[in-house]
Structure formats: structure tokens, C-alpha cells
């Protein structure tokens, strides 16, 4: 993923991709609207925007799924969240607090910064929010 900076998407679009990644497969747009607490028309517009970037495939009246590109990007987004939440938990925040705080600012942290944080933490394998994979920072 050398062509991404981690700063390409708005915080809301980041949430869409992370949700799709966690659900896996084809996800109904109504499930997305419900989970992200937005109107169906808003979720449809965001999904169309994401489809134009090649990150998702939208099948009208059936659902949405990540493309291969979207899957790789979403995996980075989940890893970024997990690394940042682990970092915050090291500074005394509970698991829930670390996850909530991370959600507030994660979309502003670049891939380069995440790779450095991950390296400085010794490439941890798990955080308070889940498993950490090291595909993006070059660790097998």
C-alpha cells in the first residue's frame, strides 16, 4: 500500500470502510445506515462516492462490498485504529476510553506516523480493540 497516506478519506468514510471490513461480504445499505446512525439517503450518497474511488462495489437493492483495493485500505484503517488505541491504553485510558478517543482523531493520523508508532511499540500483535496485522508497515 505505498500509494496511500491514510489521509485520503473523511472520518465518516473511514467509519463506513471499517464497518464493511468488520461485517465482511455483502452488507445491506440499511444495516450501514442503522449502524452509523445516518439517513438511508446519506449512506447511499456516501456509498456512491466510495464506489467512484474504487473502494467499494455497490449493487443496487442488494448491498455493498469492499473491492480488493477497499479491503486493503480498510485493513489499514482497522490496524491504525488498533495501534492508536493501544498507544492510548498505555497512557492510562481504559480499553473503552482508548477506543472512543481514537475514533475521534484517527482519520487525522498519517500512514507514515502509524508505521513509526508501530515500530516504536515493537510491532505489537494485539490491542485493546483487536488484532494488529503488520502488512502496511512491512513486517511479515
Amino acid at each position: 500500500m505505498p500509494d496511500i497516506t491514510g489521509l485520503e478519506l473523511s472520518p465518516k468514510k473511514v467509519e463506513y470502510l471499517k464497518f464493511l471490513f468488520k461485517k465482511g461480504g455483502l452488507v445491506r445499505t440499511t444495516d450501514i445506515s442503522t449502524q452509523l446512525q445516518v439517513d438511508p439517503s446519506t449512506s447511499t450518497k456516501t456509498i456512491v462516492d466510495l464506489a467512484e474511488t474504487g473502494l467499494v462495489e455497490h449493487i443496487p437493492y442488494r448491498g455493498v462490498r469492499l473491492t480488493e483495493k477497499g479491503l486493503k485500505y480498510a485493513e489499514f484503517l482497522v490496524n491504525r485504529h488498533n495501534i492508536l488505541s493501544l498507544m492510548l491504553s498505555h497512557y492510562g485510558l481504559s480499553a473503552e476510553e482508548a477506543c472512543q478517543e481514537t475514533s475521534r482523531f484517527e482519520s487525522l493520523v498519517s500512514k507514515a506516523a502509524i508505521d513509526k508508532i508501530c515500530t516504536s511499540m515493537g510491532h505489537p500483535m494485539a490491542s485493546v480493540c483487536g488484532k494488529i496485522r503488520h502488512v502496511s508497515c512491512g513486517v511479515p
Side-chain angles (χ1 to χ4, degrees):
M1 291 189 328
D3 57 334
I4 69 160
T5 66
L7 305 173
E8 291 84 2
L9 300 176
S10 69
K12 199 53 152 175
K13 288 179 182 175
V14 166
E15 290 303 313
Y16 277 72
L17 291 183
K18 286 174 28 185
F19 178 70
L20 290 169
F21 181 81
K22 290 175 182 176
K23 290 293 280 184
L26 194 62
V27 180
R28 296 179 330 171
T29 56
T30 55
D31 293 341
I32 296 168
S33 299
T34 301
Q35 177 66 31
L36 300 180
Q37 299 176 338
V38 297
D39 284 341
S41 62
T42 301
S43 65
T44 299
K45 182 187 178 316
T46 303
I47 289 163
V48 168
D49 289 348
L50 288 169
E52 288 173 358
T53 66
L55 295 170
V56 301
E57 177 186 10
H58 180 218
I59 305 165
Y61 307 106
R62 298 228 20 242
V64 182
R65 69 175 144 231
L66 294 168
T67 62
E68 187 175 328
K69 176 182 173 183
L71 185 62
K72 289 177 184 176
Y73 197 90
E75 182 177 46
F76 160 74
L77 297 174
V78 169
N79 280 335
R80 174 173 68 184
H81 178 91
N82 291 348
I83 289 166
L84 291 171
S85 63
L86 179 62
M87 181 183 73
L88 292 179
S89 72
H90 280 281
Y91 289 103
L93 277 71
S94 70
E96 184 177 326
E97 291 169 329
C99 185
Q100 288 175 346
E101 289 299 322
T102 297
S103 293
R104 293 177 196 197
F105 71 90
E106 65 190 321
S107 64
L108 303 174
V109 182
S110 71
K111 180 184 178 307
I114 292 300
D115 290 348
K116 289 177 182 177
I117 292 167
C118 186
T119 299
S120 73
M121 294 176 79
H123 301 290
M125 299 306 292
S127 86
V128 296
C129 292
K131 183 179 174 183
I132 298 172
R133 295 198 51 216
H134 298 285
V135 175
S136 72
C137 61
V139 174

